[in-house]
Amino acid sequence: MKKISFLLLFLLVVAPVFADANLTINGTGIPGDFINTRHRTPMLNLTFNLSESLGTGPSFAVKMSYINVTINSTSGMNISNITAIEIINASGNVIAANTTLKTDDTFFVYFGSLSDGAFVINSNNTNRTNLIISINVSGSAHVGNNTRVNVTSNASFGFAVIDSGINVTLNTNQSATNLSTIVNLHANVSVTPRYVDTLVLNQTFLIVINVTGSDSVQNLTVTLPSDFTNVTIVNVKRDGDSVTSGGSTLTDNRTTNNVINITMNAPATSYIIINFTANTTSTTASNTTINATIRNVRFNASADENNNGVKISPIIIIDRIIGSKLTALPNGTDYWEFNFTLNFSANVSGGFMFRMLDWTDNASRTINVNTSSASNAEVRLDADGIHTTYRHIFP
């Protein structure tokens, strides 16, 4: 009998003591008053804080297999217009998604089955788990409708069978976002030319902002590459008309040399064209981009990229120059002739410009270039399109 009593006492001493644990879930609304179609919009930031109440127990974890997300609206928002509900982790990666169109107002977003590992919430207080619920609204959604994200109760989370010592508390006052109104503000930005030479003064550029959403564009900000200097706006057109006519005004509030702010009294429903000039740098820049932020009276959005990159590099490279006729009589009919081999770094159209200076021989004798006649020089292109013969008549 004494041995049995001793054994029971030993088991009571060595047996672990399980203290109560608390899983607290708080939410913070992220969106503003308006959300745009066809964009991933972060809506609700959920914080999972799993802690042992006495603060002295070992670390532990809870597995979560899904979150049931509810979409609310007060103005006839059609749930089929939601094309995706996504869960984003603290690193900004999408770790779970539901892209199945629904007819009701709930979406189950699965992380995986509990047997597959699901999503693990750890009890480390210094590293609380944060997940963001985002939505993607279809471009066919009705502009002006509103929507919000809501996690209604503890039952919205698919936890593993939780030990009776773990208490789950969802702060329902922080589990839903405010209602956000849907807008459809989109445009594509493109630029021409997309290949320019180095060290060009007053290079002409055209930026085209094509409106692709149902919301018109009232204002825009264009950010140019730092490789452009001495930027000068030549003209701005809105839907085919200059913005300086028809009662509309243009405000050029350029705060730096590579940022253009444009404000128009009348919005653009089709397109905006900006004609400007700039000097290019002397260094090669293979990947410069022109970005645009578009605005209407309610919302700002980044324009979609569409051929908005500009490459700056020497376009015409002289491979070699060979003199094919290096003597000439000063009788007004004889000539010198040189053969240039040219390489091109880009497929561009345009014309050549040869600039001639006065010629000086080895004895420092100068032959002045005769600029009084336009017929002193001609350029001929060889059949293969690579060699160019330059012919200069000796005056």
Side-chain angles (χ1 to χ4, degrees), residues 353-374:
M353 179 180 292
F354 285 86
R355 187 179 69 171
M356 294 185 59
L357 301 176
D358 294 338
W359 292 5
T360 303
D361 64 10
N362 293 333
S364 298
R365 292 173 297 185
T366 300
I367 302 176
N368 296 321
V369 175
N370 185 354
T371 59
S372 61
S373 173

Side-chain angles (χ1 to χ4, degrees), residues 28-39:
T28 303
I30 300 174
D33 294 333
F34 303 95
I35 56 176
N36 205 8
T37 60
R38 294 163 34 204
H39 279 181

